Every structure is written in structure tokens, then in C-alpha cells.
Amino acid sequence: MLSPRAPRVLPLRVPADGDAPSRPAGSFLSPVAGGPGRLRVALHVLLAALPLLAISAHVFRLVPMQLSAALLVIPLATTLAVLTVFDPHPGDRVIAHGLAWGVVACATYDVFRLDTVYMLGLWGDFIPTMGTWIIGRPDDLAGGAVVGYLWRYIGDGGGIGLTFFVVASVFGLQRLSRAQVVLSAVGFAVAPVWAGLIGTVALAPRGEELMFPLTPVTVTLSLVGHLIFGLVLGLGFWHSRGAQAHWPWAPLDLPARMRPAAAPPDAAPVGSVPRSAGPTASLSSAPNSPVPAAVRPTPNSPAPAWPAAVPPAPTSPAPESLPAVAPAPGSPAAGSPAPGGPAPVSPATPLPGRVLPDPARSDPAPARPSWARPETYGSEPPAPARAFVPRQRTSSTPPAAQTLDPDTWEQWRRRLETTQPGRRAHGGRPAAEPAPHGPA
């Protein structure tokens, strides 16, 4: 059987200078339209990083969060939303998957965090306070909680997920195994994200006062939460790896230790014929082929046209189909009468039924199949087995006359005459005598 065809990939036509692009805007991009696509992806990554940078800038007293949200985050998010709706790009699908899985991962992280905050009381919740920084009203904790959690889920969680999906698509992490993808996502959630949060709280003058105090409990809980976030994000990327087909650029080369093990170029499935061999490939090129060695073409014979039909093995040995044999000296076939007793057999004397090697052939003669080897040399071939004839059953409809002998046919006819209509002629009680016919 032939191996399955690989998907055919058509190369992109690079338009010459002055030619109009052959594909409309927003389709799978050619090198001419690749610049605006990369710029849009860069703007998405910048928008994803702004919510976290705005928190650090507010804690370090560089830019108030109300100002950064009003002048940077909201206008850029509105612009990109309009461009995505009215001028879609192939990479927008990967962006949407990253945003959605980032929100899901952040919600899963908050199930653990809110349990430790409101049920165990191990640390405080600074998200409502962060919301008051955005709306500019420190006393409105209810409004701050709504705005703060929207900022956390869409801005922080969705932005981190979007950034990871873009980075993973650039490096082609969809080519790795699920364990490697999950480890990469967990490392991304720990190294830049969690380390940046702890660094902001530790280095800012009022970091612990505005956010949360750094204690062994809070550091451990925040680390566990980011591990959960990375685990869910990695599983989400692995689940959405089908969307990477819409990524319009070729991924970068992975390091040697992270590359998946590739099969050798000459490896083929068991029983298949390599595609490079063409339609006239011989059966001997297929590894572990079920075709017997006796019917495979030899190196000195021309290769048969593909497909080559394999003749079925005969059920009984045919004398005319067996190879030539050398008669034993002293046998009647050799022209001399057979002696009274068995003739001595020397090592150089071929036995009856043994195939003589052909000195003109360069390759060894193929071995005879098991069905062509008699039990003992010089014995007669076994008699064919008797065919199984099923027993004929008597029914109300007579069978063909040529299938029964005259005695059986006469016996069946007599039984049919003595059978009452509606009664079976065999088995059970005997049939009743037929009623006499005629006038009463």
C-alpha cells in the first residue's frame, strides 16, 4: 500500500516592482503586504504589555494609572478592535485565541487566590484598590472592584496570554510535545510575569503598602498562583495549536535540544513503497513485505510494472510447475534398472526431488515453498482430500432432479404423496391418512 500523500503547499508568488499584489488585503500575506501585518502584531503586543506596565509606573510614581489608562490603553485598544473587525488579518485568529485563554487562565488562578484571601484570610485583595487608581476615586471600593477585575482579566490575564501566543507562534512551539509546551508556558508565567510582580513590590518605595506585604506566605501563594496560570495557558495553547495554521509567517528555528526527533528521509511505513521510487518500484524495495521471496524479482531481472499481481499459491503440487530435478543414478528415469536394494547415497549425489543449482545464475536459487516439499524423497504426492457434500434436506419444494439419485427421488415422491397439507413430513408424529375423495 502506498503511504498517504503529504499536503501540497503552493509557493507564494512574489510580485515584481510596480505589479499589484495578486491577493486582496487581509488574506494570506505576500512579502509586499507583510509589513503592515507585522506592525499590527507589534501593536497587539504593545497593548498587551501596557496594563502591567501601567501598574508598575503607578507604584513607582512615574505616571498615574488614571492617566495612562485614559491616554494609552483605551485609545489603542479601540483602534485595534476597529481594525480587527473591518480589516481582518490572518494573525488575528491567533491573537483572539491567546486573549481568550489568558482570561481563562486568570480566572482559574483567581479560584485559588480568592479562596486564600476571603476564606483562609492569608493575605489581602488589592484588586479593588487598583481599580480606584483607574477611576480616580479612592473611596469607591465597589466601583473600583468592578473596574479592577475587568482590568485584571482582560488587561493583565488576556494580555499575558496574547503575548505568550505571539511568542510561541514566532518560535513555532506547536511543533513540540505537550509537555514541552506546558513547561514553556509555566516558565513564561514565572520568569517575566511573577518575577516582575515581586520586583515591583520589593523595589518600589511604597510597593508593599500599595499592593501586598512580602512574606514567605504571600510569596509562596503568588508563585503557586502563577504556576497554575502557566499550566492552564500551556494547555490552552496545545489545544489551540490548529489555529497556528493561520499564522502568516514561517517560525524561527528552534534550539537543537528542543527540536522534535525527525524520521530519517528513507524511512517508510511497513509494507509501503517509497514515493521517490516511482510507479515502477519493485516489490523487493518494501521492508518486511509479505510477498514470498520466490516471487520477488531478482536483481538481474527487469522490474515488473506496478501494480504487480502476486499469483496465488496452488493448493496441490503440480508436476509440470515444479522445477527440473535430477534423477538419482540407477533409477529407471536415468535409463538403468534399479538394483534389488537401496543404492548408497554419497554427499555429491543429488537425491530425487532436490533442485540442482544453476551455475549460470549469480544469485542463489530461491527456496522452494513449503507446499512443494514432499514428506519423503521419491514418495507419491498425497491424494486430494474428498470434497464435503452437505446433506440434502427434504422440503415442500422438490430440489433439482439432477442432485438426487433415482432411489432417493422415488422415496421423496412417495413421502410427498402421503403427506397431509400443512403438516411436516419429517420429525414429530406420523402423517394421517388422506381422506377419500369423491361424492359423499
Side-chain angles (χ1 to χ4, degrees):
M1 297 178 63
L2 296 177
S3 59
R5 289 179 177 268
R8 187 178 180 183
V9 180
L10 297 178
L12 295 178
R13 185 182 67 87
V14 180
D17 296 336
D19 294 347
S22 58
R23 302 177 185 270
S27 62
F28 198 92
L29 300 180
S30 61
V32 173
R38 291 186 176 91
L39 178 60
R40 180 182 297 190
V41 172
L43 290 178
H44 276 294
V45 175
L46 176 61
L47 175 62
L50 280 179
L52 291 176
L53 295 178
I55 297 176
S56 300
H58 183 89
V59 174
F60 278 99
R61 296 184 178 181
L62 299 177
V63 180
M65 200 168 179
Q66 184 180 12
L67 187 62
S68 61
L71 298 181
L72 294 178
V73 178
I74 296 178
L76 184 56
T78 305
T79 303
L80 289 177
V82 171
L83 286 176
T84 303
V85 172
F86 293 100
D87 188 17
H89 182 268
D92 293 342
R93 181 168 305 209
V94 179
I95 299 295
H97 278 264
L99 181 66
W101 279 106
V103 173
V104 172
C106 187
T108 308
Y109 169 26
D110 266 2
V111 172
F112 167 77
R113 187 183 66 87
L114 295 179
D115 183 27
T116 59
V117 169
Y118 292 102
M119 299 186 68
L120 299 179
L122 299 179
W123 55 337
D125 188 9
F126 68 94
I127 303 300
T129 304
M130 181 188 68
T132 59
W133 303 343
I134 301 174
I135 62 179
R137 294 193 295 270
D139 298 334
D140 190 4
L141 291 180
V146 174
V147 175
Y149 274 99
L150 286 177
W151 187 278
R152 173 177 175 81
Y153 288 142
I154 302 177
D156 296 344
I160 296 172
L162 186 154
T163 305
F164 175 75
F165 269 60
V166 170
V167 173
S169 301
V170 169
F171 287 95
L173 296 188
Q174 66 273 9
R175 299 172 293 180
L176 303 180
S177 63
R178 181 172 60 178
Q180 292 175 322
V181 170
V182 171
L183 288 178
S184 301
V186 170
F188 182 82
V190 170
V193 181
W194 178 77
L197 172 65
I198 298 301
T200 300
V201 176
L203 299 178
R206 299 178 57 193
E208 297 186 21
E209 178 183 353
L210 295 177
M211 301 184 71
F212 57 88
L214 290 180
T215 62
V217 175
T218 58
V219 171
T220 303
L221 293 177
S222 61
L223 177 59
V224 172
H226 282 80
L227 292 177
I228 296 174
F229 180 88
L231 175 64
V232 176
L233 187 61
L235 293 176
F237 180 82
W238 175 258
H239 181 75
S240 303
R241 63 189 183 278
Q244 305 303 318
H246 302 275
W247 189 253
W249 304 293
L252 300 179
D253 293 335
L254 295 173
R257 65 180 62 182
M258 298 183 63
R259 293 175 186 171
D266 55 348
V270 175
S272 63
V273 179
R275 189 181 305 172
S276 60
T280 59
S282 61
L283 295 176
S284 60
S285 60
N288 301 333
S289 175
V291 182
V295 298
R296 297 184 189 175
T298 58
N300 298 333
S301 61
W306 184 266
V310 180
T315 56
S316 61
E320 60 275 7
S321 62
L322 295 178
V325 298
S331 61
S336 59
V345 180
S346 62
T349 303
L351 294 177
R354 178 171 297 181
V355 181
L356 293 177
D358 188 1
R361 292 171 58 98
S362 59
D363 55 332
R368 298 181 62 191
S370 58
W371 53 266
R373 299 174 184 172
E375 297 295 334
T376 57
Y377 292 104
S379 62
E380 294 295 330
R386 297 182 58 185
F388 173 75
V389 179
R391 187 182 64 175
Q392 299 291 336
R393 298 185 59 182
T394 305
S395 62
S396 59
T397 303
Q402 64 271 16
T403 60
L404 299 177
D405 56 293
D407 296 338
T408 307
W409 180 266
E410 183 64 24
Q411 182 182 2
W412 180 87
R413 188 182 60 80
R414 289 198 305 268
R415 178 173 298 183
L416 183 62
E417 291 177 355
T418 59
T419 302
Q420 182 180 359
R423 292 287 187 93
R424 297 178 61 182
H426 57 278
R429 71 184 79 179
E433 294 295 332
H437 296 282

